[in-house]
Amino acid sequence: MILAVASPTLAGKIAVSAEPVNGHWLVTADLYGTPLYGRLDIEQQGQKITGQFYGDKFEGSLDGSAVHFISKDNSGGTSRVDGALKNGVLSGTVVETDAADESHMTRYSFTATPVRPLHRVTPVHHEFSPSVFYREFSASNKPVLSVAPGDSIHTTTVDAAGTDQDGHRRVLGGNPQTGPFLIESAMPGDTLVVHLTRLRLNRDYAISDDGLVGRGTDNYLAVKMKDGGKTVLWHIDIGQGLASPEKPGAHMAAYTVPVHPMLGCIATAPPPSRGAPPTGDSGSYGGNMDFNEIVEGATIYLPVSVPGALLYLGDGHAAQGDGELNGNALETSLDVEFTVDLIPARRTPGPRVESATHIMAMGLGGSLDDAFKSATANMAGWIAEDYKLTPAEIAELFGTAAEYRVSEVADRNAGVVLKINKERLKSLTQ
């Protein structure tokens, strides 16, 4: 019953002072040297306390300075906690017992600090010029800048190969990221909100190739494409907003494509217990999603799994068709400006995107089937949370209004996005 795998229900005895324990607490457990972060919410009514610990409900009673409560997880295992409140910090030990193996208990220490109410101040605009870029979405990387909810940040990214706006190689390739940015007061269980207010090209070329990824070909097409994968250099006419191949083939001499700058990567740090995924990967934390509607004006919702959220962004594209079929879009560097905000105590199960016209739920999985199911479940949860629809009503909505996009087929995870037009939502009663 490790906290990172299955949220334990709490059972135990915490020796505390007579100070009130009401409120929200950030819990950091030390499990064999790996920090595990979670949320403890306590409501105190006289001698009785109720609340949630790592998402599980509990209730108990105060006895002077001590508190005692016992509960079980879904498998019949128990957790016993003993701690003390000193100088505003709750600390102690947890002993967990697995119902299937009661003779071998797990013991580890924890600390919990109160989460202070967020006092809004005048938003600050930050100019940030990156000097280091990371190739993992890691909770261990030192934050490059600390910002408050409501603040805006202007910065730049390098391209997927690590080259900046001046054509200088700054870092090894593999989608190097700008960040991470620490968002003050963000804690596990919150949702980070990122508004992309400006995405602009800052150089006149991009890199792609002339192959198709395996998910996009059958056996016959794969044979025809066997010599693909060579680098293609694209010229960008920023003034006209058009891109064209520098050395086009005979039939592409007049081909141009409108530029549509987008971020291939945006992510919060996953919990340390999961390990740090490379910046070519994706998951519930976001990451290398390569969804071509993560553009200027979009709002992205991401789960917070570690204190401060730790926001990463990068992998700029000048344009990309659905799925990133080449394996590379028109890879380039970008000028980026965004604002951050928080939705406290509400966790999104996976990335969500909002535009002026649609809400969009991202699904990521090892196959398109799995990604399709994940996108549908993600959107169903969103609609249930915001509009209180019943399962039958959600089915009626999806059956008449669902729009699906294949966002990504180039990487380990495939991506599918379920979109709902906001016009379809206006008549729903909450």
Side-chain angles (χ1 to χ4, degrees), residues 35 37 133-144 177-182 267-279 285 287 305-313:
Y37 303 108
F133 302 90
Y134 289 104
R135 301 172 63 248
E136 292 181 329
F137 299 117
S138 175
S140 300
N141 290 330
K142 182 179 178 180
V144 297
Q177 300 291 295
T178 300
F181 300 95
L182 185 146
T268 50
S273 57
R274 291 181 56 176
T279 49
Y285 52 89
S305 299
V306 301
L310 298 184
L311 172 66
Y312 295 84
L313 51 89

Side-chain angles (χ1 to χ4, degrees), residues 45-323:
Q45 294 181 332
Q47 298 300 104
K48 181 180 179 181
I49 62 169
T50 58
Q52 291 191 345
F53 181 72
Y54 283 88
D56 289 325
K57 294 181 179 179
F58 68 84
E59 61 180 42
S61 60
L62 291 168
D63 182 10
S65 61
V67 123
H68 179 74
F69 47 96
I70 293 178
S71 60
K72 297 181 179 180
D73 65 19
N74 292 333
S75 302
T78 62
S79 301
R80 181 172 299 277
V81 176
D82 293 284
L85 183 64
K86 182 178 181 181
N87 297 326
V89 177
L90 182 64
S91 60
T93 59
V94 181
V95 178
E96 294 184 347
T97 304
D98 191 324
D101 185 11
E102 295 184 356
S103 62
H104 295 91
M105 295 177 290
T106 301
R107 179 185 296 270
Y108 53 89
S109 61
F110 78 94
T111 59
T113 55
V115 178
R116 305 301 181 189
L118 179 62
H119 298 291
R120 295 283 183 173
V121 296
T122 303
V124 175
H125 178 76
H126 304 267
E127 291 286 338
F128 177 72
S129 180
S131 59
V132 62
F133 302 90
Y134 289 104
R135 301 172 63 248
E136 292 181 329
F137 299 117
S138 175
S140 300
N141 290 330
K142 182 179 178 180
V144 297
L145 184 68
S146 180
V147 302
D151 286 1
S152 60
I153 302 97
H154 173 245
T155 189
T156 58
T157 70
V158 293
D159 67 16
T163 304
D164 67 12
Q165 65 268 28
D166 298 316
H168 298 148
R169 191 77 175 270
R170 302 279 299 278
V171 61
L172 191 64
N175 297 335
Q177 300 291 295
T178 300
F181 300 95
L182 185 146
I183 289 69
E184 297 167 4
S185 78
M187 66 179 293
D190 295 344
T191 291
L192 178 65
V193 184
V194 183
H195 306 281
L196 295 178
T197 54
R198 179 183 173 90
L199 280 185
R200 301 295 168 86
L201 300 169
N202 56 16
R203 72 185 198 200
D204 64 0
Y205 74 96
I207 301 294
S208 187
D209 61 42
D210 65 358
L212 293 177
V213 300
R215 279 197 182 102
T217 62
D218 61 13
N219 291 340
Y220 298 100
L221 182 56
V223 171
K224 293 180 179 180
M225 299 300 301
K226 63 183 177 62
D227 295 324
K230 297 181 292 297
T231 297
V232 178
L233 181 65
W234 291 73
H235 172 71
I236 301 174
D237 187 326
I238 294 178
Q240 294 193 40
L242 297 173
S244 56
E246 285 277 10
K247 297 179 180 179
H251 304 288
M252 301 284 284
Y255 182 77
T256 61
V257 60
V259 298
H260 195 54
M262 54 163 283
L263 282 176
C265 292
I266 184 166
T268 50
S273 57
R274 291 181 56 176
T279 49
D281 210 349
S282 60
S284 60
Y285 52 89
N288 187 31
M289 297 180 287
D290 291 317
F291 178 36
N292 57 19
E293 294 196 51
I294 298 181
V295 296
E296 181 172 305
T299 299
I300 299 91
Y301 302 91
L302 297 167
V304 176
S305 299
V306 301
L310 298 184
L311 172 66
Y312 295 84
L313 51 89
D315 187 26
H317 298 169
Q320 179 200 292
D322 287 354

